């Protein structure tokens, strides 16, 4: 995955987060796709499928201005096919292209909880990629230490609405971090992980 230099710090973080998840996806061995992850309901394949689906939503929402109802269940089910890494590559490229299009971050995006800017949506996507990169790392036994720039970004992004995430049922209840925990551990505990 090529990395581009961006004047916009948000797009830089997006590029870094996509690159981080990309390295983990391409490190998955054939015998690891059915391995468990910290997302208790998901295997490695389920987790990657979730992120592929998330990326595929970006073009219709950001580029095309479509409503969730218009997209419907287009990206439900198996989005990985016989080559999960290639499916990831395609979806990541599509999301990156939509977010980096001129003026894209100033557009309005229609999400399930209401309208927001594409910049806010992009920030949420970056945080999601960061946390799920850790999940995937744990699932496949890869390096779990994440880049500090992405951890700091995710903390700033997620902290204001962390309580709502647990209520949504998409994240487990927060876990009390151990004494002296570092920022990454605190973030993961906030999102219901047990690092």
């Amino acid at each position: 995955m090529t990395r581009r230099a961006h004047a916009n710090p948000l797009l830089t973080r997006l590029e870094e987060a996509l690159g981080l998840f990309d390295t983990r996806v391409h490190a998955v061995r054939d015998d690891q796709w059915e391995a468990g992850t910290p997302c208790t309901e998901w295997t490695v394949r389920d987790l990657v499928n979730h992120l592929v689906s998330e990326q595929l939503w970006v073009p219709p929402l950001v580029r095309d201005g479509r409503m969730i109802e218009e997209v419907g269940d287009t990206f439900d089910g198996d989005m990985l096919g016989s080559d999960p890494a290639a499916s990831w590559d395609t979806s990541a490229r599509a999301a990156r292209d939509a977010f980096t299009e001129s003026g894209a971050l100033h557009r309005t995006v229609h999400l399930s909880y209401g309208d927001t800017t594409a910049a806010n949506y992009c920030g949420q996507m970056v945080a999601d990629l960061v946390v799920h990169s850790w999940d995937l790392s744990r699932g496949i036994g890869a390096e779990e230490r994440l880049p500090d720039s992405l951890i700091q970004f995710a903390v700033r992004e997620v902290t204001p609405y962390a309580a709502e995430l647990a209520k949504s049922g998409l994240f487990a209840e927060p876990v009390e971090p151990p004494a002296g925990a570092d920022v990454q551990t605190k973030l993961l505990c906030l999102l219901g992980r047990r690092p």
Side-chain angles (χ1 to χ4, degrees):
M1 177 173 292
T2 59
R3 299 198 176 183
R4 304 175 193 166
H6 296 286
N8 184 309
L10 176 57
L11 294 178
T12 299
R13 295 291 89 80
L14 174 67
E15 196 69 40
E16 291 170 354
L18 287 168
L20 177 65
F21 197 79
D22 182 75
T23 61
R24 300 311 190 266
V25 170
H26 285 276
V28 178
R29 297 188 318 261
D30 289 344
D31 64 344
Q32 291 181 312
W33 289 103
E34 297 308 315
T37 70
C39 304
T40 54
E41 304 294 314
W42 287 346
T43 64
V44 166
R45 184 179 176 90
D46 295 330
L47 175 63
V48 173
N49 189 66
H50 168 69
L51 270 293
V52 167
S53 176
E54 292 275 294
Q55 306 318 303
L56 291 173
W57 273 95
V58 176
L61 295 179
V62 174
R63 186 191 61 219
D64 305 334
R66 294 174 69 188
M67 306 292 282
I68 286 181
E69 300 77 21
E70 293 177 83
V71 180
D73 61 3
T74 304
F75 305 122
D76 289 356
D78 179 22
M79 296 286 108
L80 300 184
S82 61
D83 191 343
S87 297
W88 160 256
D89 292 343
T90 300
S91 69
R93 188 168 37 255
R96 178 191 302 104
D97 290 349
F99 275 129
T100 58
E101 205 173 82
S102 179
L105 295 179
H106 301 290
R107 296 178 187 148
T108 298
V109 180
H110 312 291
L111 300 178
S112 57
Y113 60 81
D115 290 354
T116 190
T117 65
N120 286 341
Y121 177 41
C122 185
Q124 294 166 25
M125 293 288 284
V126 170
D128 197 51
L129 282 159
V130 171
V131 173
H132 285 316
S133 290
W134 181 84
D135 293 331
L136 186 53
S137 297
R138 173 69 54 102
I140 66 171
E143 172 59 49
E144 293 182 15
R145 173 57 47 195
L146 305 177
D148 190 56
S149 60
L150 288 174
I151 290 296
Q152 296 293 340
F153 179 91
V155 166
R156 287 191 305 274
E157 173 63 34
V158 169
T159 300
Y161 55 81
E164 297 305 312
L165 292 176
K167 288 180 193 172
S168 74
L170 298 175
F171 288 83
E173 289 292 324
V175 174
E176 186 66 29
D182 62 13
V183 177
Q184 175 173 312
T185 301
K186 288 178 182 176
L187 171 68
L188 294 169
C189 289
L190 180 66
L191 296 174
R193 271 70 175 172
R194 297 180 183 276

